[in-house]
């Protein structure tokens, strides 16, 4: 299915492309340091404002998997899938209050650097190599793959042409360094939000026209409440709802979003805190700023996370009602392939029905989300490679100019590898589903390593290494022996087991160099100012209200 963009759509997209590129060049030439400073290149040290930090976090976080994947899961599961965004906002507050002070006060610029300072170089090197492989072969590759597929459907150009365009666009932005990425991400987020909201508005209008009386958006909202009541619950019980699995069958909704247990066991917390608190391409945005600016930037990102369900969830719900009521043959046929219901087709099908001009805006919004994520992840790849591998093992005497130049070479090489590998993901069927599961194998161990490393002085490197290895092994065993055990609950269970093993090994090992590396922790580090406190309570209030209304 191809959208077939018109001339006006391409003009609108070209305007977006020129504005982002020109603004990025202006930032590169006029903002911040003019010297070849590696910290300025990798961290934009001191030059990002709170709103640029917040916008850049969201731009790196939101990509094709949210627009396409989460809308598809909204079609499949309903608003319960919003937990990833809503709890993500709350998790960002925890990261701002407790994680950021530990990074900034201990002058941590990369995640492997934290491991080296707190534990030992052995663990830092192992995890640095692991993160590089993860970011290149999982994150960068999957975004190019999903982005290329999305643009292929929108434009009719071949997958490789679309993937190459996204890669070149992202390279242009990334080579300018974190400073350019951070400020151009502001434009990217504006396009992302307004383009996404326009699609949501038109999806609800379409629902009103196809199923209702054509009274508009509010009627579209009422129709969702009336005809998709089973999709308007945040908490599922086992066996309560059977939903399309995208493979021609049905699956228990509880298996994917396991109700209250994902909070009690903690799987959803593990997923979000690991992603936002221990992830180089998320935390990196704040590591070059002072604590006040960094916290306000993260708070701004938390507010925008609460907005994301309106952008990525509501279109999926609208498509579900139209599909359920068999109200539009193009939507029904577009979502169904060879008799199999494909929820991930929901968002592309809706885009196909946008009027000329707005297709161009949606094209720009989706491209903005993809390019911003690619740029953020590529910069983090270069940062980890240069600061934690190249300057330690290959050349310790690089000048600042050489460090930046080599970092740019690393960016280009990472993109070339990801571009070449990306078509191979088509051979893995539900490739992105497997990628998410694979990432979930390591998140519990990583979070255990970081939390205990921050706040428990007796944590040792051997305990941390055991937690990292056990996380992968235990997740694999549980997935094989108990395949019906919900993914999120498995993450929570594995986290607690890994933490227990980490603690036991550390206690048995006794005092040593690892404990001498323990970070100082001061209570005053975790105090926040009044504006942050007010904003945080508003975010938590939104979370509580949504769960109270839609429980």
């Amino acid at each position: 299915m191809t959208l077939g963009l018109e001339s006006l759509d391409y003009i609108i997209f070209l305007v977006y492309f020129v504005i982002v590129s020109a603004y990025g060049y202006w930032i590169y030439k006029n903002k911040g340091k003019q010297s070849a400073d590696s910290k300025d290149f990798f961290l934009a040290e001191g030059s990002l404002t709170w709103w640029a930090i917040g916008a850049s976090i969201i731009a790196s976080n939101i990509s094709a998997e949210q627009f396409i994947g989460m809308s598809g899961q909204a079609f499949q599961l309903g608003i319960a899938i919003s937990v990833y965004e809503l709890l993500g906002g709350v998790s960002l507050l925890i990261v701002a209050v407790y994680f950021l002070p530990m990074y900034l006060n201990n002058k941590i610029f990369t995640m492997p650097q934290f491991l080296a300072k707190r534990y030992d170089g052995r663990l830092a090197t192992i995890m640095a190599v692991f993160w590089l492989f993860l970011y290149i072969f999982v994150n960068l590759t999957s975004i190019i793959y999903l982005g290329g597929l999305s643009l292929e459907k929108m434009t009719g150009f071949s997958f490789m042409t679309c993937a190459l365009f996204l890669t070149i666009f992202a390279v242009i932005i990334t080579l300018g360094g974190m400073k350019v990425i951070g400020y151009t991400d502001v434009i990217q987020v504006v396009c992302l939000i307004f383009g996404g909201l326009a699609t949501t508005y038109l999806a609800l209008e379409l629902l009103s026209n196809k199923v209702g009386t054509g009274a508009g958006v509010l009627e579209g909202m009422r129709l969702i409440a009336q005809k998709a009541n089973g999709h308007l619950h945040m908490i599922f019980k086992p066996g309560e709802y059977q939903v399309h699995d995208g493979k021609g069958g049905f699956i228990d909704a509880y298996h994917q979003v396991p109700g209250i247990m994902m909070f009690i066991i903690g799987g959803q917390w593990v997923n979000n805190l690991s992603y936002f608190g221990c992830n180089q391409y998320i935390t990196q945005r704040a590591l070059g700023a002072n604590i006040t600016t960094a916290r306000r930037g993260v708070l701004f990102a938390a507010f925008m996370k609460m907005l994301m369900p309106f952008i990525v969830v509501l279109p999926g719900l609208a498509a579900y009602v139209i599909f359920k009521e068999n109200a539009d043959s193009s939507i029904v046929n577009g979502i169904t392939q060879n008799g199999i219901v494909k929820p991930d087709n929901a968002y592309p099908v809706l885009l196909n029905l946008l009027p000329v001009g707005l297709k161009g805006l949606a094209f720009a919004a989706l491209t903005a989300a993809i390019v911003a994520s690619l740029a953020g992840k590529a910069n983090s790849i270069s940062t980890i490679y240069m600061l934690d591998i190249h300057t330690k093992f290959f050349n310790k005497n690089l000048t600042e100019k050489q460090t930046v130049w080599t970092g740019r070479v690393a960016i280009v090489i990472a993109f070339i590898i990801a571009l070449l590998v990306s078509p191979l993901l088509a051979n893995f069927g539900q490739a992105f589903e497997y990628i998410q599961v694979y990432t979930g194998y390591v998140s519990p161990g990583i979070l255990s390593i970081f939390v205990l490393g921050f706040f428990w002085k007796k944590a040792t490197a051997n305990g941390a290494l055991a937690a990292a290895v056990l996380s992968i092994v235990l997740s694999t065993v549980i997935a094989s022996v108990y395949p019906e055990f919900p993914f999120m609950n498995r993450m929570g269970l594995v986290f607690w087991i890994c933490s227990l093993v980490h603690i036991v090994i550390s206690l048995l090992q006794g005092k040593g160099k690892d404990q001498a590396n323990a970070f100082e922790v001061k209570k005053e580090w975790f105090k926040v100012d009044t504006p942050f406190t007010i904003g945080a309570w508003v975010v938590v209030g939104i979370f509580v209200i949504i769960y109270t209304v839609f429980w």
Side-chain angles (χ1 to χ4, degrees):
M1 181 188 65
T2 302
L3 288 179
L5 299 179
E6 303 292 339
S7 298
L8 179 60
D9 298 315
Y10 284 113
I11 291 172
I12 290 173
F13 176 79
L14 181 62
V15 170
Y16 150 77
F17 179 84
V18 170
I19 290 175
V20 171
S21 300
Y23 184 59
Y25 182 77
W26 183 87
I27 290 292
Y28 177 71
K29 286 294 185 181
N30 297 283
K31 192 78 172 176
K33 299 178 181 179
Q34 298 300 311
S35 61
D37 189 315
S38 60
K39 286 186 178 179
D40 190 52
F41 179 79
F42 294 118
L43 298 169
E45 188 171 28
S47 66
L48 290 185
T49 59
W50 63 266
W51 44 269
I53 291 171
S56 191
I57 289 174
I58 293 300
S60 291
N61 171 229
I62 303 300
S63 189
E65 66 264 34
Q66 273 75 25
F67 275 97
I68 307 300
M70 194 165 285
S71 288
Q73 288 182 300
F75 177 98
Q76 178 189 45
L77 301 169
I79 63 171
I81 200 63
S82 300
V83 65
Y84 285 92
E85 302 303 312
L86 300 175
L87 197 67
V90 177
S91 297
L92 280 167
L93 301 179
I94 296 173
V95 170
V97 176
Y98 296 105
F99 284 47
L100 284 184
M102 298 303 295
Y103 287 132
L104 295 176
N105 285 299
N106 290 285
K107 301 187 184 305
I108 302 296
F109 302 119
T110 70
M111 302 303 99
Q113 184 189 7
F114 159 76
L115 298 176
K117 274 193 171 186
R118 177 58 184 87
Y119 295 110
D120 62 21
R122 171 193 55 168
L123 181 63
T125 300
I126 291 172
M127 293 306 295
V129 173
F130 168 79
W131 270 313
L132 282 179
F133 274 90
L134 182 71
Y135 290 169
I136 294 174
F137 290 101
V138 176
N139 298 113
L140 210 62
T141 301
S142 64
I143 293 174
I144 291 176
Y145 172 69
L146 291 172
L149 285 181
S150 301
L151 297 196
E152 180 185 24
K153 291 181 179 180
M154 296 186 74
T155 64
F157 291 112
S158 70
F159 164 81
M160 208 60 197
T161 299
C162 295
L164 183 62
F165 164 73
L166 290 173
T167 300
I168 293 174
F169 192 2
V171 167
I172 292 171
I173 298 298
T174 313
L175 291 181
M178 181 53 68
K179 180 171 54 182
V180 173
I181 294 170
Y183 280 104
T184 55
D185 277 351
V186 176
I187 299 178
Q188 309 278 40
V189 166
V190 169
C191 291
L192 183 159
I193 289 177
F194 281 98
L197 287 175
T199 303
T200 298
Y201 177 88
L202 289 164
L204 293 172
E205 283 272 2
L206 180 67
L207 173 59
S208 174
N209 292 330
K210 297 292 183 179
V211 180
T213 63
V217 171
L218 293 180
E219 184 185 38
M221 297 285 284
R222 287 194 297 270
L223 287 168
I224 290 175
Q226 292 170 7
K227 298 183 179 295
N229 181 61
H231 273 49
L232 297 181
H233 297 287
M234 297 297 296
I235 298 295
F236 294 141
K237 297 177 182 178
E240 188 175 11
Y241 296 107
Q242 296 294 314
V243 299
H244 295 286
D245 65 358
K247 303 174 184 178
F250 291 86
I251 189 174
D252 188 352
Y254 180 84
H255 188 265
Q256 295 188 336
V257 184
I260 195 66
M261 291 306 295
M262 63 185 176
F263 295 105
I264 295 175
I265 299 178
Q268 193 63 250
W269 289 106
V270 172
N271 181 68
N272 281 279
L273 289 175
S274 175
Y275 181 83
F276 289 109
C278 313
N279 199 332
Q280 182 70 31
Y281 57 79
I282 296 297
T283 56
Q284 188 166 336
R285 277 99 187 95
L287 296 184
N290 61 59
I291 188 63
T292 301
T293 302
R295 276 179 169 157
R296 290 179 181 177
V298 174
L299 176 63
F300 181 44
F303 271 107
M304 286 191 285
K305 287 294 283 183
M306 311 310 275
L307 177 65
M308 293 314 299
F310 292 96
I311 295 175
V312 298
V313 172
L314 278 178
L317 290 174
Y320 172 76
V321 175
I322 295 173
F323 179 87
K324 179 186 175 185
E325 297 296 313
N326 199 23
D328 187 283
S329 59
S330 62
I331 290 180
V332 173
N333 294 333
I335 293 176
T336 306
Q337 291 182 359
N338 300 319
I340 297 175
V341 176
K342 295 284 189 180
D344 282 353
N345 286 352
Y347 199 82
V349 164
L350 287 176
L351 292 180
N352 191 37
L353 300 176
L354 292 179
V356 174
L358 283 175
K359 284 183 185 177
L361 181 61
F363 184 25
L366 188 57
T367 303
I370 296 166
V371 168
S373 286
L374 288 174
K377 288 171 177 62
N379 183 270
S380 295
I381 290 167
S382 177
T383 302
I384 290 177
Y385 174 73
M386 290 305 303
L387 302 187
D388 297 299
I389 295 179
H390 192 92
T391 55
K392 287 184 178 180
F393 299 104
F394 298 112
N395 193 336
K396 299 179 180 179
N397 301 312
L398 288 177
T399 65
E400 289 290 289
K401 184 176 182 180
Q402 289 173 328
T403 301
V404 172
W405 186 87
T406 309
R408 289 187 171 125
V409 172
I411 287 169
V412 174
I413 292 174
F415 269 119
I416 291 173
I417 293 172
L419 178 64
L420 294 176
V421 172
S422 62
L424 301 179
L425 293 187
N427 299 325
F428 288 89
Q430 299 290 322
F432 195 72
E433 178 183 343
Y434 294 129
I435 290 168
Q436 290 289 74
V437 171
Y438 172 76
T439 304
Y441 283 177
V442 298
S443 297
I446 289 175
L447 183 62
S448 173
I449 291 171
F450 275 73
V451 171
L452 291 175
F454 279 146
F455 304 113
W456 191 49
K457 294 183 181 296
K458 296 182 179 180
T460 66
N462 287 336
L465 187 58
V469 174
L470 185 61
S471 179
I472 298 173
V473 173
L474 194 55
S475 296
T476 303
V477 170
I478 295 175
S480 300
V481 178
Y482 303 104
E484 295 304 313
F485 193 63
F487 165 68
M488 276 297 160
N489 290 349
R490 185 179 75 226
M491 286 184 67
L493 179 63
V494 171
F495 168 77
W496 292 114
I497 295 175
C498 287
S499 297
L500 178 61
V501 170
H502 189 173
I503 291 170
V504 170
I505 291 177
S506 297
L507 291 175
L508 290 175
Q509 188 174 343
K511 293 184 178 180
K513 185 185 72 173
D514 299 343
Q515 295 183 20
N517 292 338
F519 290 156
E520 181 182 19
V521 180
K522 296 182 179 180
K523 290 184 179 179
E524 57 265 27
W525 289 355
F526 309 116
K527 293 180 180 179
V528 296
D529 57 21
T530 301
F532 182 91
T533 301
I534 294 172
W537 277 113
V538 172
V539 171
V540 172
I542 294 171
F543 179 86
V544 171
I545 289 171
I546 291 175
Y547 266 85
T548 300
V549 173
F550 295 104
W551 184 271

